[in-house]
Amino acid sequence: MPSLPALRRRPALPATAPLLAATGHTLAVAAPAAPPGSGPGGPPPPPAPRRPRATATSGSGPSGYLALLRLPGATAFTLGGLLARLPAGMFSVSAVLMIAASRGSYALAGAVTATGLAATALVAPWTARLVDRYGQRRVARPAAALAVCGALALVACVRLGAPAWTLFAAYAATATVPNAGAMARARWQALLGEDPARRHTSTSFEQAVDEVCFMAGPALAAVLCTALFPEAGTLTGVALLAVGITLFTAQRATEPPPHPRPATGSAAPLRRPGTAPLLAVFLATGIVFGTLEVTTLAFADTAGHAAAGGLIVGLQAAGSCVAGLVYGARAPAGPAAARLPVLLALLTAALALPALAATTGSAALLAPAVLCAGMATAPVMITAMTLVQHRTAPARLNEGLTLAVTAILTGIALGSALAGQAADRLTPGTGYTVALAAACAAIALATRLRAPALSGVRG
């Protein structure tokens, strides 16, 4: 019999520990199994320790973003992703300025960059699929190395006066640039699990990072190419891409596991219900972006404020960045599929402001109007990206996110072409009407995402 002190030190058994079972005329009591070496009256075994799991506390305001960055490895892969994403906004501007300075032809420069965009639309989803199957480190590094070789080959062809066709071939090789934004979002999803509030915050944070890159990349490229030498922008982009991808992929602890053989139900993103109309929404939104940018530049130039055009376009990106951070600071109410048409309607209303400002011919009135339009774009992109993450199997997440980015880039190219034609043939502000039409089309497409056939899909 245990001594009195031993009885006093013994922890009380939980009330739910004994299991009672009635069988016929017998009442059986099943006690917890005793650990090896303990007697019948020994204390119960201590509870098994729980494995710690990195989590970010949910909350509103800046604390939610700071909590994300406190996760192990999060700051490092965020910095690497930021550096790796800057060249996406630098390469095209740098190529245009470099080719135009050496060959004296903006038409040739535009054709080369358009060819590179078309190659990216074809190659990027396949690169993302390889990332999903074999891992970010194994695929992103060689893919980035091929893109670096293509960019350096373009510089060499320009400097050496090589035939024009070599410029197209060299710039097309940069299409293997890995989608750092998609890989970063995949890491957040692996870190945060299924918590909708924290995933909303991480998606908003990544959208803000995208806006910073789209705002700073072209400006940095223009400054380098004009203040130093025409090849400076491309060479700097090459260095940033190499350093950024190396730093990003060096964070092995946060890298999602590869999926060499996708599990049952991991269908290709294009085959999943609701993906086609969602990608069409991204395409229409890209047309809005491309049309808004080119029309603003053309309007400012026609109004005699060409220098202010770049600043006004920068306001669009700045407004989107700030709005994205504010929108992500608090978990939204309701499913994402129901919010998207409402947010697109707000974007459409905001796009009416630049159209009205253009009728006055005043660049001073256009600036706040474009700022408001930019602020309305971030919530749309965050919600749409959330839908992509919800409706794509984890084994194909990079592929699904890259398809969304490819649809946006394709829309930007179409919107830029349409706005350019409108600026040359019609009044300078006519392109804003094209943006309004594209936004209305996006609303119609977004309403299809709420069809009953998709009711079983998350988001």
Side-chain angles (χ1 to χ4, degrees):
M1 179 177 180
S3 60
L4 183 60
L7 288 173
R8 291 176 178 172
R9 290 194 302 266
R10 181 181 302 168
L13 292 176
T16 58
L19 304 177
L20 305 180
T23 58
H25 302 286
T26 307
L27 179 64
V29 181
S38 62
R50 293 182 178 180
R51 184 179 179 181
R53 182 176 181 267
T55 57
T57 57
S58 59
S60 61
S63 59
Y65 298 109
L66 293 176
L68 291 178
L69 295 177
R70 291 192 186 104
L71 292 172
T75 301
F77 83 70
T78 297
L79 177 59
L82 175 64
L83 296 178
R85 269 182 272 193
L86 274 174
M90 296 179 63
F91 279 151
S92 59
V93 174
S94 300
V96 167
L97 295 176
M98 179 175 60
I99 295 172
S102 64
R103 303 297 174 97
S105 173
Y106 278 98
L108 175 61
V112 169
T113 55
T115 301
L117 178 61
T120 300
L122 294 174
V123 174
W126 291 97
T127 304
R129 181 177 296 183
L130 293 176
V131 169
D132 285 327
R133 288 187 178 181
Y134 302 106
Q136 295 182 358
R137 181 186 178 92
R138 291 183 61 186
V139 176
R141 287 191 173 185
L146 287 175
V148 165
C149 291
L152 294 177
L154 178 64
V155 173
C157 292
V158 170
R159 293 287 291 180
L160 298 175
W165 68 266
T166 62
L167 306 182
F168 289 90
Y171 195 71
T174 63
T176 61
V177 173
N179 190 337
M183 292 191 296
R185 288 178 171 89
R187 292 193 178 219
W188 286 123
Q189 180 163 317
L191 279 174
L192 302 178
E194 297 296 329
D195 190 317
R198 293 183 297 172
R199 285 177 60 174
H200 171 73
T201 302
S202 67
T203 303
S204 304
F205 176 75
E206 288 300 322
Q207 183 63 34
V209 174
D210 282 339
E211 295 297 342
V212 169
C213 293
F214 285 131
M215 179 173 52
L220 178 60
V223 170
L224 290 172
C225 292
T226 55
L228 299 179
F229 51 93
E231 298 83 4
T234 300
L235 294 176
T236 302
V238 164
L240 289 173
L241 177 62
V243 174
I245 288 296
T246 301
L247 177 60
F248 183 88
T249 55
Q251 312 307 313
R252 302 297 300 276
T254 57
E255 180 178 352
H259 301 273
R261 296 180 180 178
T264 303
S266 300
L270 287 175
R271 297 181 180 179
R272 295 184 70 88
T275 299
L278 184 56
L279 291 179
V281 170
F282 280 108
L283 178 68
T285 309
I287 293 176
V288 171
F289 294 159
T291 306
L292 195 61
E293 179 176 348
V294 173
T295 304
T296 300
L297 293 173
F299 177 83
D301 188 20
T302 305
H305 301 283
L311 296 177
I312 297 175
V313 171
L315 285 176
Q316 174 191 344
S320 181
C321 178
V322 173
L325 291 175
V326 173
Y327 183 71
R330 186 178 299 276
R339 296 196 311 270
L340 186 57
V342 178
L343 294 172
L344 284 168
L346 294 176
L347 173 60
T348 305
L351 289 172
L353 299 178
L356 292 175
T359 60
T360 66
S362 172
L365 293 177
L366 182 63
V370 171
L371 175 64
C372 292
M375 294 178 68
T377 59
V380 170
M381 295 305 302
I382 292 168
T383 306
M385 282 294 184
T386 300
L387 280 171
V388 173
Q389 292 177 261
H390 285 174
R391 300 184 177 200
T392 305
R396 312 294 287 266
L397 183 58
N398 281 286
E399 183 181 352
L401 291 171
T402 302
L403 284 171
V405 173
T406 301
I408 295 173
L409 294 177
T410 304
I412 290 174
L414 292 174
S416 299
L418 292 173
Q421 292 292 328
D424 288 342
R425 301 175 183 272
L426 304 172
T427 57
T430 307
Y432 293 126
T433 306
V434 179
L436 281 169
C440 291
I443 295 174
L445 292 166
T447 56
R448 296 183 57 189
L449 301 176
R450 303 175 62 186
L454 303 180
S455 58
V457 183
R458 292 176 299 142

